[in-house]
Amino acid sequence: MTAKDRAENTANDDSVQPKGWMNRTVVGAGITSALGDFCYETTTVILPGFLAVLGIPAAALGLIEGIADAVASFTKMVSGYIADKLGHRKLLVLLGYGLTPLGQALIALSVGWPLILLGRMVSWFGKGLRGPLRDAIVIQAVSPETRGRAFGFHRAADTVGAVLGPLLGVALLGLAQGWHWSDDAGPFRFVLWLSLVPGVLAVLAFLTLVQDPQHSPNPALKFFGSLRGLPLRFKRYLGAVGLFGVGDFSHALLILAATTLLTPSMGVVQAAQVAGLLYVWRNVVQLAASWPVGWLADRVGHSSVLLVGYALGVAMAALTALAFWSDIDSVALLAGIFLIAGLYVAVQEALESTVTAEMVQAETMSFSIGALGTVNGAAKFLSSATVGVVWTAVSPVLAFALAAGFMLAGTLALLRVRA
């Protein structure tokens, strides 16, 4: 694509770009994400307990979450490249949202870890397919000066589903316990089947509410050429994100940590319920913080606020290690750890993409956000798998301390990128 073509496309994009950041596309993407999170976050919050009643160890959970993250990560960059090359973003996003309830159904049918792994992979393939394309649509639907607020609103709406889904899931799990089931897994399967409803509604919401801003195909775009052509500063930024991500384990393991610490005093079912509520609390914190984080970032700088968020991630992992070291079974202290987790995730999810948008060209926006997702997911595969295996083979103290060390290294690397 020539410089003249890019200029014309930019002018066209500006002509169709809504004047206000609170527009139909931003709101529609937020509603869709809320419904999507309602679907798969319900699984996230009950999956550790489901695995516990099936007798599946922490190492398996870590590998399942890690492999699922890896599938999502490699899908993100490829989907971003295809979207930039062909110009068909909305169709791919719809397909991605459609795969989530399919994966949920596979998990609901499972009696062991292989089908759970398959279901999680299908869901996370869909998540990887839709994520960067949806983010690129939102970015191009608003002005650069309001990206923080738009993404803060989107992540807040996203988190509404992440709060309501697990909260309803925990309540239904408690209700279903009093019913007659053939085995202990029955109440968990009941909740999993119900979670398919918001997943289907998410597809319908995106189809009817979201308008993709004009996005011209770029048939000359080459995958490896685009990869080599990414700005050097952006590549360094990806390195910092990846290093942090190697320690940024799936919070399904944080739920399992709370379940493990509380089980001796509460029993496994009640401990799983309380851990689920702690995860809901984490999501409430994320919901409350997302828009203020975006607003603040628009004023003081997105990378500066992201750096603070990374530092909070280090604190969360270190405190989890200390909780195991001290055998803490205090719900209040665990709630503090989940609070910090909610704060750093609010910063991370609202700002990593907006920092990316500041460093790359519009014609490779989807590809660049996909590259960000790929680096994040590949790193999180290593983190979740490593934390689960080290937890099982050695100790949870070492597992979470190791995670904190990598997150600290990533924070320091991001500080160097900003310098």
Side-chain angles (χ1 to χ4, degrees):
M1 180 179 289
T2 66
K4 181 180 178 181
D5 292 333
R6 287 195 296 269
E8 290 176 352
N9 284 340
T10 301
N12 289 334
D13 287 344
D14 290 341
S15 68
V16 298
Q17 178 173 288
K19 294 182 179 179
W21 68 268
M22 181 67 81
N23 55 63
R24 174 177 172 175
T25 293
V26 173
V27 173
I31 292 172
T32 302
S33 292
L35 290 167
D37 263 35
F38 197 112
C39 177
Y40 72 76
E41 287 284 18
T42 303
T43 299
T44 298
V45 79
I46 69 169
L47 188 60
F50 187 45
L51 266 65
V53 298
L54 293 178
I56 300 172
L61 177 60
L63 289 171
I64 288 169
E65 292 298 294
I67 292 171
D69 280 335
V71 168
S73 69
F74 290 110
T75 304
K76 286 177 181 178
M77 189 157 60
V78 174
S79 70
Y81 165 72
I82 292 172
D84 281 335
K85 187 177 180 71
L86 302 181
H88 300 304
R89 296 189 295 199
K90 187 171 180 177
L91 182 61
L92 291 172
V93 175
L94 287 169
L95 176 61
Y97 275 108
L99 289 173
T100 298
L102 175 60
Q104 301 290 89
L106 292 173
I107 294 173
L109 292 168
S110 63
V111 293
W113 67 263
L115 198 55
I116 293 176
L117 173 60
L118 178 60
R120 208 62 165 162
M121 287 173 63
V122 169
S123 291
W124 255 230
F125 177 80
K127 186 178 180 182
L129 187 64
R130 69 182 184 248
L133 311 186
R134 181 201 59 216
D135 288 353
I137 289 172
V138 171
I139 283 174
Q140 292 186 337
V142 299
S143 66
E145 295 77 17
T146 59
R147 284 172 180 163
R149 276 163 282 185
F151 264 83
F153 169 81
H154 178 263
R155 297 313 188 210
D158 181 274
T159 310
V160 168
V163 170
L164 296 180
L167 191 60
L168 183 60
V170 170
L172 289 172
L173 186 62
L175 178 65
Q177 273 188 295
W179 302 345
H180 176 71
W181 300 100
S182 59
D183 57 29
D184 291 337
F188 293 91
R189 297 187 197 279
F190 171 71
V191 177
L192 286 167
W193 283 117
L194 286 182
S195 72
L196 270 63
V197 176
V200 173
L201 292 177
V203 178
L204 297 176
F206 197 86
L207 177 65
T208 57
L209 297 177
V210 174
Q211 296 176 321
D212 190 355
Q214 183 172 338
H215 184 66
S216 301
N218 185 3
L221 190 68
K222 303 298 182 184
F223 183 86
F224 291 106
S226 298
L227 195 60
R228 288 192 298 269
L230 292 174
L232 179 59
R233 183 164 176 255
F234 178 60
K235 291 177 181 177
R236 290 174 177 170
Y237 169 65
L238 290 180
V241 169
L243 197 53
F244 180 86
V246 172
D248 190 16
F249 54 88
S250 166
H251 285 185
L253 288 165
L254 192 61
I255 298 170
L256 184 61
T259 303
T260 302
L261 288 165
L262 294 173
T263 293
S265 59
M266 294 183 176
V268 65
V269 174
Q270 187 179 358
Q273 288 179 291
V274 173
L277 291 173
L278 287 172
Y279 186 71
V280 171
W281 162 240
R282 189 218 77 149
N283 289 341
V284 169
V285 172
Q286 183 183 348
L287 169 62
S290 290
W291 192 87
V293 161
W295 177 87
L296 179 64
D298 283 339
R299 281 157 176 75
V300 305
H302 293 197
S303 60
S304 298
V305 179
L306 181 60
L307 184 65
V308 174
Y310 274 21
L312 288 172
V314 176
M316 180 275 303
L319 288 172
T320 305
L322 287 173
F324 275 103
W325 178 270
S326 305
D327 288 324
I328 289 175
D329 62 356
S330 167
V331 174
L333 291 176
L334 291 172
I337 294 175
F338 278 79
L339 181 146
I340 297 172
L343 288 175
Y344 98 80
V345 171
V347 175
Q348 182 185 36
E349 293 195 354
L351 300 183
E352 281 187 344
S353 292
T354 65
V355 172
T356 295
E358 293 172 349
M359 297 182 180
V360 301
Q361 299 297 316
E363 61 265 26
T364 58
M365 184 74 71
S366 298
F367 178 77
S368 299
I369 295 175
L372 171 71
T374 294
V375 168
N376 247 328
K380 286 182 179 180
F381 163 69
L382 293 174
S383 177
S384 296
T386 300
V387 169
V389 170
V390 173
W391 180 341
T392 302
V394 185
S395 75
V397 176
L398 179 60
F400 289 107
L402 191 62
F406 279 111
M407 295 170 91
L408 177 60
T411 304
L412 296 175
L414 180 62
L415 182 61
R416 292 188 62 186
V417 172
R418 291 183 63 253

